[in-house]
Structure formats: structure tokens, C-alpha cells
């Protein structure tokens, strides 16, 4: 046995040499690893295939988070399987044969016995790659990114395939803003309101991984049309452990915080918290031409902006194992932010003869206050059979968001005017969820569940105006109270099975009923709508020889509008370019197809994918010009249809023992077309890419270089701009790799980026260029402490992934 265990430990290091030295044949081994006492799956156990005669290692792999593994043998023969996981006694199975008569071997559940002292002298842990490809998602392992101690979650998203983040922080998944961001599988209030604002302040240091689910199964809410981005924070462990971090940026960004995990008298405690400060400075130049008959004019604008804020966040989870198979978890979090934007502006209006008709000096100061909290309870029951589970989750979150804007305008001719805008917004959301999973014979599995979501959003907005030499008076037409209620009831079922023990098939369906009731108090106007949606999903995974995998997926999705799309509050901080929501928006519906190819060939990991999405009643930002006042107004509309065809390639390779390279390229062709009398239509290609290089210099020093391209992309009335960034990083490990300090140079050869947006139709042309400073020096520090033992966190959480993300707009 000792000889076998020694061979297993040696094989983990040596087997890559054997993996690519032999020609692969289509023989296949699969199974699942679980804890012998709790029957819970064990993730990231090392599975090593050994030759039965000599126990010589052949190939190895890691189990996924559900303890599943699958590997291909390079040749027919007689083998044994070794299993290794820190904290458990190693195990070597009895020999079995793989040949043309027995091309596959499906293991029964494999159980490991906990034995923390067994591996005290030596710990062998599989190193997860930076990017992993699983059956239904892409996983970016943030914990392996050298820059995690000094980047925010928003900046880290730029490194994730299929995700783009522009200079203003607007996030897109597969070129669409119709998606959902989750935190640990839940939809906290801080992300429901404005993901870009929350993730701009959230540190990457506490993130374990980022999951991108582009074709969600029926277990997920029907909304999130383009998919789901799930941010998973650091895994908690028993005993005690934690980390501290701090970072600073010469452009005006700074943050600090930490995490602590411990277990006291059977109660697990997992907590993290911190604060951050950011300051965005820039300048802008704008031009608008009106082609309206009788109201032709040209408006030139230039100004500056200072947007800064402070953000505080905290999370606490208490978990208790009721017995060896069931657990109870209670959790809560709080998020508070205070932001302000100071934006003076100069205006020059010219008539149709290009003669100066009016000048204006505007000042605008806007303050934002946001508070949100979440409370939740999870109960999980694990039965003796692996993956046989029952989960009950309850969650309630509430948010309070306030905006106050003070504007002062001096026009020559036109006089002087001051106005104050106030918008108080309150939102609550209560969710109850039941999930049941039952494995069936012959590797079949059934999942089913039910969910109820009850949302309420209230917005009380008002405006006060003061003309020169006149008393302050309220602008009645700008005052209203908006009350919006949305209730969603859902049932789902998923059936998974295998064909010939190789091809994995998963089919599912979800039925959702939505009830909407909106009321405008001031004008006594109401809006009601009920709709029932049937959401089918399907996923097929086909393993091929030479460790190749092909998967094909389909999902029908919808995207409900959210408060920022519906709220008719008029933002007229710039009276020449106003914006407001559209309470009459309908949900958009789409059909999405995905094709993925994944392989590892001679040390090169390759992922190639293609996707196609067809959307009806697409929700898009829309700008029109007022024929009487000559001002432009931005809102949202169900424009008609949108199609998007995308191609993505991701490659990672380690050409030298100390050098790692990875890159991602995505191109997409988009068409947008309205079905109204305006007949607007636009098409075009867009592209983005990310390239990263890591090099281990030795003696605790590592260096990294990154390049990011976000190309321009078509919009309904023009094109959104693109940009290029690059950075250089040096990292030094300290105190036996428990601490590290990072130094990064951002854009050392470029001071600022010109971000130009152009919107036009037959009646007007509008362009705006914002100049962002990008050159900066970053410094970050991270420190880990304590011991690592069994997992503390038992939280499953509810995940509300059914509302449209905030549309692109400048902070």
C-alpha cells in the first residue's frame, strides 16, 4: 500500500510527461468522489490513472465542484485509479481493463475517509488553471491572478472571456446588457440597483472565481437573456483563517479590508468587509446638430467632471451542521455608498446661419446616497446517495437610494435659473425557493423546484425651480410618485441522462407567471400586465478522442425591465440633453444557441465557441429630438428585433516551466431594426481581445503583462466607442508565501483615452467625447493567516437572475 501511495504522489508531478508522449485512443473513465461520512461530493480531488503492473502514473485530472471527473486513457490496457485530497486518506482502487471490448469504465461512487493527520507532512493540491471550461459555464479562477490584490471586481471582469467592460464601467455579456450579476448565487440589493457602481468598489482580493453561464439551464430564472455572471467569494474553512488587503492608485482609487473564517462550538463563522474610495476626473467635448425644419441649430458644449465616492460593505454568515447530512445557514450583508458628481459646463448655441445665438454657463452638483441590506436563511439536506439533495432558501433584501441635484444656469440671452431635483427610491425583494435533486439509475438525474419572488419599487421625485428675481416654486409637472410591484411564480424540471455512457444530455423546462402593477400617484395613472412564459432548455456534451469535448446548447430566455428602465423621473442636469425611463416597457424575448469545442493538445488548452441570439421586443436606449424645444431626450424602447452572431477563441499555454500565456479573442456581428415608422436600422462587426503573460522570476518574484482591446460596436443610432489598455505588474511573495506586494504600471505610454460616442438619425446628429486619464501607478498588499481545514460555509442562496442590467450611461 505504501508503494502505491508513493507512486500516486509521484504521479501527480510526473504524469504530464506521460500525457502527451503516447497516442490517445477512445477509451474513457468517469466517476464521482464523495466524503464517506456525509456523502457530500469532494471537489478538486486529484485523480491519477496508474498502470496496474508497475503503478506507473499515466494521466491525471481534478474533480469538479460536484466531485465528478472524466479522463481518457492514452492506450488500452489494465489500470488502477488513485485518489488524493488533502485532509483525506489516499486511496488506490482495484485494477480494471480498458480495451476495444471495454472502451469505457464508469465508476460507482468513490468514497474517501477523512484523515487530517495522514497528509500532515506533505500536501499535494491540484493547481486550477486560470480558466476552466465546465459543462454549463466558463470559470475564471481569480485566486490565481497575480493582480487580484490591487484590482476591483469591475476591473477583473475585463479579463474574463465573453465579458466586456467599457471605460464608464458598463458591463456587457456577449455584447448585450441583458444579463444578471450574482454574488455567491444570490442577487443582493447592491447588485440589483447598479452592478457597475457596486463592482467598481468591490475588491477582487476576496473573490475566488467568476463563473460565466451563457446558456443557463431551467433551474435559473428565465431572465438574464444573454446569461449570468456569478461572482464567488473566497471559500471559508474550519479552524480559523483569513486575509487582509490594501491597495492604492495614483489616479485616486484606494481600498482596504479583509476576511475571517472560524468555527466555534460547532458554529461556523464566515465574514468579510472593507471600504474603498474612488475619484474619476475627466473633461468632455460635445456637439449636436438639429436638422428639424424651422429649428436648425448647432450646439457646442465643453466641460469637466469629478465623480468621487466612498463605499462600505460587510457580510456575515453563521452556519451550523444539524447532523452529518443536514445544515442550516443564516447570513446577512450591508452596503453603504456616498457619491457626488461636480460637472460645470459651457454652452454655445448657433443658429442655422452658424451665428452665435446664445451662450450658457451651467453648474451641476449631484449627490448620491445608497444603502442596502440582505438577510437570508438556507437549509440543506444531503441524503446518503451523492447528489441526492433537498434545499430550502429564504431571502429578503431592501434598498434605499437617494439622489439630490442642484443646477444653476446662466444664459445670455435667457437670464438666470436655479433648480433642485430630488429622487427618493425604495425597493424590497422577498424570495422563497425550493430545490430537489434525485440521482436515478444508469447515471440519470432529475432536478425540480419552485420559486416565488415578490418585488416592490417606489420612487418619489420632485423638482423645485427658481427664476431670477422670483420666489422658489415647484415644477408641478416634474413631481410624481411611482409605485411598481412585480410578482413572479415559477416551476422547473430538468432531466439529465447519458447515451452509450458517453454523450451527456440535459433537457429542462421552466414555467413562469409574472404579474405587474404600476401606479403614478400624481396623475392617477395605472399600468397592469400579466404574462405566462414557457422556457425550454437543452444541453448536449459529446466527448471525443484526444481529450476533446463538443457541446451544443439551446435556451429560450426573457428579460424583464427594471426600475432604471421604467422610472419616468426626468434627469435634466443638462437641460439640453435630458433622460428618463419608460414605464410602458415590455419584456424582451430571445432564442439563444451555443456551440463549444474544448481540447487540450500538447499542453495547449483551446476553447472555441460560436453563439447566435435572436431577440424580439429588444430593449434598447433610444434618443429623440424635441421638434419644439430643440433638446434631445434619451429613454428606453422595445425597438423591434436584435440578432447577434458571435465567435470566441480562448487559448492558454505554458511554453516554458516558468512562463504562462493566455489570450481571448471575440468577434460579433449585430443587427438592430425598429418596426415603427422611423424605420431605424443598423448593423456592424465588433471585437474585443485580452492577452496575459505571467513569468516566474524565482525567489518569490513574478511578473505579468496584460493587453486589452475593446473595439467599437454598433448601437441603434450609431456606434459605441472602443479603447485599448495595457499594464505591467511585478509581484513579490513574502513570509513563506503568506503575503505578497504588487506594483503595476497602467498605460505608461498614454496619458488619457478619448471616449467618443456618436448618435444620429435623420433629424439630428450628436457626438460626445470624454477624455479619461488612464496613466497610473498601483500598489497592492495581501496577507493570509490561519489554518485551512474543512469548509465552514454551508450557504446555497437564492439567485434572482431575471432583471435587465443598468443601461450604459455616464456616472
Amino acid at each position: 500500500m505504501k508503494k502505491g501511495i508513493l507512486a500516486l504522489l509521484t504521479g501527480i508531478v510526473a504524469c504530464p510527461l506521460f500525457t502527451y508522449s503516447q497516442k490517445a485512443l477512445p477509451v474513457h473513465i468517469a466517476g464521482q468522489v464523495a466524503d464517506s461520512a456525509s456523502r457530500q461530493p469532494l471537489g478538486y480531488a486529484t485523480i491519477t490513472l496508474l498502470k496496474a503492473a508497475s503503478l506507473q502514473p499515466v494521466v491525471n485530472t481534478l474533480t469538479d465542484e460536484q466531485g465528478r471527473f472524466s479522463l481518457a486513457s492514452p492506450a488500452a490496457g489494465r489500470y488502477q485509479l488513485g485518489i488524493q485530497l488533502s485532509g483525506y486518506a489516499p486511496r488506490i482502487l482495484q485494477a480494471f481493463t480498458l480495451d476495444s471490448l471495454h472502451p469505457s469504465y464508469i465508476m460507482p461512487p468513490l468514497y474517501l475517509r477523512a484523515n487530517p493527520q495522514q497528509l500532515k507532512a506533505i500536501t499535494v493540491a491540484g493547481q486550477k488553471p486560470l480558466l476552466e471550461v465546465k459543462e454549463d459555464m466558463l470559470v475564471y479562477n481569480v485566486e490565481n491572478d497575480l493582480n487580484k490584490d490591487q484590482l476591483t471586481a469591475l476591473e477583473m471582469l475585463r479579463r474574463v472571456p465573453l465579458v466586456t467592460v467599457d471605460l464608464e464601467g458598463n458591463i456587457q455579456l456577449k455584447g448585450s446588457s441583458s444579463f444578471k450579476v450574482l454574488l455567491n448565487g444570490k442577487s443582493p440589493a447592491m447588485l440589483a440597483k447598479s452592478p457597475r457602481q457596486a463592482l467598481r468598489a468591490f475588491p477582487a482580493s476576496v473573490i475566488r472565481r467568476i463563473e460565466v453561464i451563457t446558456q443557463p439551464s431551467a433551474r435559473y430564472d428565465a431572465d438574464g437573456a444573454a446569461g449570468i455572471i456569478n461572482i464567488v467569494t473566497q471559500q471559508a474553512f474550519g479552524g480559523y483563517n483569513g486575509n487582509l488587503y490594501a491597495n492604492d492608485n495614483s489616479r485616486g482609487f484606494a481600498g482596504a479590508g479583509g476576511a475571517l473564517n472560524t468555527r466555534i462550538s460547532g458554529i461556523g463563522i464566515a465574514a468579510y468587509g472593507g471600504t474603498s474610495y474612488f475619484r474619476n476626473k475627466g473633461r468632455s467635448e460635445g456637439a449636436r446638430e438639429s436638422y428639424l425644419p424651422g429649428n436648425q441649430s448647432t450646439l457646442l458644449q465643453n466641460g469637466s467632471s469629478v465623480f468621487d465616492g466612498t463605499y462600505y460593505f460587510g457580510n456575515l454568515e453563521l452556519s451550523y451542521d444539524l447532523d452529518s447530512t443536514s445544515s442550516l445557514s443564516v447570513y446577512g450583508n450591508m452596503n453603504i455608498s456616498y457619491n457626488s458628481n461636480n460637472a460645470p459646463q459651457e454652452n454655445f448655441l448657433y443658429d442655422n446661419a452658424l451665428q452665435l445665438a446664445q451662450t450658457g454657463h451651467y453648474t451641476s452638483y449631484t449627490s448620491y446616497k445608497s444603502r442596502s441590506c440582505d438577510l437570508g436563511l438556507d437549509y440543506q439536506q444531503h441524503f446518503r446517495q451523492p447528489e441526492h439533495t433537498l434545499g430550502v432558501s429564504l431571502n429578503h433584501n431592501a434598498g434605499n437610494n437617494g439622489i439630490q441635484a442642484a443646477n444653476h444656469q446662466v444664459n445670455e440671452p435667457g437670464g438666470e435659473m436655479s433648480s433642485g431635483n430630488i429622487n427618493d427610491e425604495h425597493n424590497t425583494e422577498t424570495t422563497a425557493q425550493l430545490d430537489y435533486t434525485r440521482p436515478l439509475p444508469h447515471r440519470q438525474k432529475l432536478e425540480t423546484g419552485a420559486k416565488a419572488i415578490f418585488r416592490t419599487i417606489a420612487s418619489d421625485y420632485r423638482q423645485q425651480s427658481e427664476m431670477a428675481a422670483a420666489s422658489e416654486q415647484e415644477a408641478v409637472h416634474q413631481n410624481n410618485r411611482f409605485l411598481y410591484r412585480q410578482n413572479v411564480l415559477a416551476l422547473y424540471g430538468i432531466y439529465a441522462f447519458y447515451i452509450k455512457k458517453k454523450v451527456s444530455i440535459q433537457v429542462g423546462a421552466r414555467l413562469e407567471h409574472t404579474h405587474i402593477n404600476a401606479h403614478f400617484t400624481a396623475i392617477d395613472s395605472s399600468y397592469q400586465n400579466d404574462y405566462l412564459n414557457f422556457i425550454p432548455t437543452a444541453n448536449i456534451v459529446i466527448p471525443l478522442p484526444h481529450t476533446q469535448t463538443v457541446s451544443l446548447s439551446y435556451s429560450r430566455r426573457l428579460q424583464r425591465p427594471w426600475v432604471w428602465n421604467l422610472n419616468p423621473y426626468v434627469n435634466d442636469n443638462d437641460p439640453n440633453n435630458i433622460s428618463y425611463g419608460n414605464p410602458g416597457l415590455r419584456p424582451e424575448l430571445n432564442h439563444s444557441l451555443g456551440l463549444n469545442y474544448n481540447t487540450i493538445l500538447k499542453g495547449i488548452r483551446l476553447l472555441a465557441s460560436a453563439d447566435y441570439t435572436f431577440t424580439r421586443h429588444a430593449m434598447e436606449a433610444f434618443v429623440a429630438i424635441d421638434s419644439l424645444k430643440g433638446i434631445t431626450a434619451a429613454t428606453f424602447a422595445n425597438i423591434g428585433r436584435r440578432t447577434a452572431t458571435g465567435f470566441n477563441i480562448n487559448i492558454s499555454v505554458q511554453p516554458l516551466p516558468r512562463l504562462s500565456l493566455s489570450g481571448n479573442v471575440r468577434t460579433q456581428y449585430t443587427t438592430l431594426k425598429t418596426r415603427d415608422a422611423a424605420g431605424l436600422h443598423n448593423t456592424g462587426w465588433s471585437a474585443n481581445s485580452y492577452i496575459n503573460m505571467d513569468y516566474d522570476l524565482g525567489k518569490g518574484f513574478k511578473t505579468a503583462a496584460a493587453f486589452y482591446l475593446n473595439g467599437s460596436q454598433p448601437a441603434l443610432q450609431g456606434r459605441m466607442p472602443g479603447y485599448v489598455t495595457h499594464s505591467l505588474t511585478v509581484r513579490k511573495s513574502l513570509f513563506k508565501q503568506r503575503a505578497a506586494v504588487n506594483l503595476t504600471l497602467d498605460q505608461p505610454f498614454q496619458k488619457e483615452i478619448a471616449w467618443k460616442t456618436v448618435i444620429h438619425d435623420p433629424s439630428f446628429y450628436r457626438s460626445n467625447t470624454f477624455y479619461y486619464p488612464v496613466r497610473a501607478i498601483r500598489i497592492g498588499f495581501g496577507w493570509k493567516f490561519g489554518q485551512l481545514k474543512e469548509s465552514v460555509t454551508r450557504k446555497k442562496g437564492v439567485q434572482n437572475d431575471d432583471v435587465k442590467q443598468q443601461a450604459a450611461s455616464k456616472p
Side-chain angles (χ1 to χ4, degrees), residues 37 126 187 208 276 291 305 311 354 408 446 453 521 534 578 635 748:
S187 178
R208 183 183 174 197
S276 64
Y291 308 136
S305 174
Y311 184 78
L354 296 181
H408 184 74
L446 178 66
I453 309 172
T521 305
F534 176 72
I578 66 174
T635 186

Side-chain angles (χ1 to χ4, degrees), residues 130-131 133 138 140 158-162 604-609 647-655 660-666 688-694 705-709:
L130 199 60
L131 178 69
V133 182
L138 295 175
Y140 188 85
R158 288 194 173 104
R159 300 167 177 254
V160 179
L162 306 179
I604 300 176
R605 179 184 292 269
L606 171 67
L607 168 66
S609 64
F647 305 92
N648 193 85
I649 296 178
N650 182 275
I651 298 176
S652 58
V653 62
Q654 190 168 357
S660 297
L661 300 174
S662 62
N664 187 83
V665 177
R666 176 175 175 80
N688 64 79
S689 64
Y690 172 73
I691 300 173
N692 184 74
M693 179 190 72
D694 294 338
F707 170 86
Y708 183 79
L709 164 68

Side-chain angles (χ1 to χ4, degrees), residues 254-378:
L260 175 65
N261 309 290
T262 186
R263 182 174 290 276
I264 302 174
S265 301
I267 298 178
I269 302 174
Y272 63 81
T275 183
S276 64
Y277 170 80
F278 60 88
R279 186 179 182 88
N280 283 339
K281 298 173 63 177
R283 58 188 179 89
S284 63
E285 297 175 353
R288 189 196 69 211
E289 298 180 29
S290 172
Y291 308 136
L292 294 172
N295 195 8
Q296 297 178 352
S297 62
T298 300
L299 175 67
L300 301 181
Q301 299 175 303
N302 60 74
S304 62
S305 174
V306 178
F307 185 77
D308 57 7
T310 306
Y311 184 78
Y312 307 92
F313 65 93
N315 182 87
L316 175 64
E317 177 194 347
L318 305 177
S319 60
Y320 180 70
D321 291 335
L322 303 175
D323 53 40
S324 61
T325 62
S326 61
S327 62
L328 186 68
S329 174
V330 179
Y331 58 90
N333 64 59
M334 175 72 73
N335 300 274
I336 302 173
S337 64
Y338 301 96
N339 307 319
S340 65
N341 186 27
N342 187 15
Q345 187 179 86
E346 301 292 336
N347 297 269
F348 304 92
L349 181 64
Y350 297 85
D351 59 22
N352 58 356
L354 296 181
Q355 297 297 314
L356 184 62
Q358 186 184 63
T359 61
H361 175 72
Y362 298 169
T363 60
S364 173
Y365 182 83
T366 307
S367 61
Y368 309 84
K369 180 177 66 175
S370 177
R371 297 179 181 179
S372 65
C373 65
D374 291 76
L375 295 174
L377 182 148
D378 287 341

Side-chain angles (χ1 to χ4, degrees), residues 120-313:
K120 186 173 181 180
I122 179 170
T123 299
V124 180
Q127 175 67 40
K128 297 189 292 294
L130 199 60
L131 178 69
E132 291 183 282
V133 182
K134 300 188 177 181
E135 288 185 0
D136 59 349
M137 68 178 69
L138 295 175
V139 178
Y140 188 85
N141 290 303
V142 176
E143 58 189 346
N144 293 341
D145 194 300
L146 294 181
N147 297 273
K148 63 180 181 297
D149 293 328
Q150 55 188 337
L151 296 181
T152 67
L154 190 67
E155 293 168 320
M156 187 61 72
L157 278 176
R158 288 194 173 104
R159 300 167 177 254
V160 179
L162 306 179
V163 180
T164 57
V165 182
D166 66 26
L167 288 177
E168 295 178 340
N170 301 302
I171 309 167
Q172 289 190 326
L173 177 59
K174 296 194 302 183
S176 171
S177 59
S178 298
F179 67 97
K180 185 64 177 178
V181 179
L182 303 178
L183 181 65
N184 294 319
K186 306 188 307 299
S187 178
M190 69 171 185
L191 288 175
K193 168 59 181 175
S194 177
R196 65 168 184 169
Q197 297 294 358
L199 297 179
R200 175 180 283 151
F202 196 80
S205 302
V206 299
I207 298 176
R208 183 183 174 197
R209 66 181 184 272
I210 298 174
E211 301 172 346
V212 179
I213 310 170
T214 57
Q215 301 288 345
S217 69
R219 76 171 63 90
Y220 296 99
D221 295 333
D223 264 337
I228 296 168
I229 300 173
N230 184 31
I231 296 174
V232 181
T233 56
Q234 290 288 353
Q235 186 177 10
F237 292 87
Y240 78 93
N241 73 91
N243 68 77
L244 298 174
Y245 71 90
N247 54 67
D248 196 11
N249 184 317
S250 62
R251 286 205 313 267
F253 295 76
L260 175 65
N261 309 290
T262 186
R263 182 174 290 276
I264 302 174
S265 301
I267 298 178
I269 302 174
Y272 63 81
T275 183
S276 64
Y277 170 80
F278 60 88
R279 186 179 182 88
N280 283 339
K281 298 173 63 177
R283 58 188 179 89
S284 63
E285 297 175 353
R288 189 196 69 211
E289 298 180 29
S290 172
Y291 308 136
L292 294 172
N295 195 8
Q296 297 178 352
S297 62
T298 300
L299 175 67
L300 301 181
Q301 299 175 303
N302 60 74
S304 62
S305 174
V306 178
F307 185 77
D308 57 7
T310 306
Y311 184 78
Y312 307 92
F313 65 93

Side-chain angles (χ1 to χ4, degrees), residues 661-720:
L661 300 174
S662 62
N664 187 83
V665 177
R666 176 175 175 80
T667 61
Q668 179 171 298
Y669 185 78
T670 304
T671 65
L672 303 105
K673 186 175 183 179
T674 63
R675 291 187 174 180
D676 55 18
L680 298 179
H681 179 250
N682 197 13
T683 63
W685 286 93
S686 59
N688 64 79
S689 64
Y690 172 73
I691 300 173
N692 184 74
M693 179 190 72
D694 294 338
Y695 188 78
D696 189 343
L697 298 171
K699 296 184 179 181
F701 284 95
K702 292 184 178 181
T703 184
F707 170 86
Y708 183 79
L709 164 68
N710 184 12
S712 66
Q713 60 181 358
L716 178 62
Q717 297 168 283
R719 291 189 68 90
M720 301 302 294

Side-chain angles (χ1 to χ4, degrees), residues 713-732:
Q713 60 181 358
L716 178 62
Q717 297 168 283
R719 291 189 68 90
M720 301 302 294
Y723 65 98
V724 177
T725 64
H726 60 276
S727 64
L728 303 172
T729 299
V730 177
R731 178 183 178 92
K732 176 66 170 75

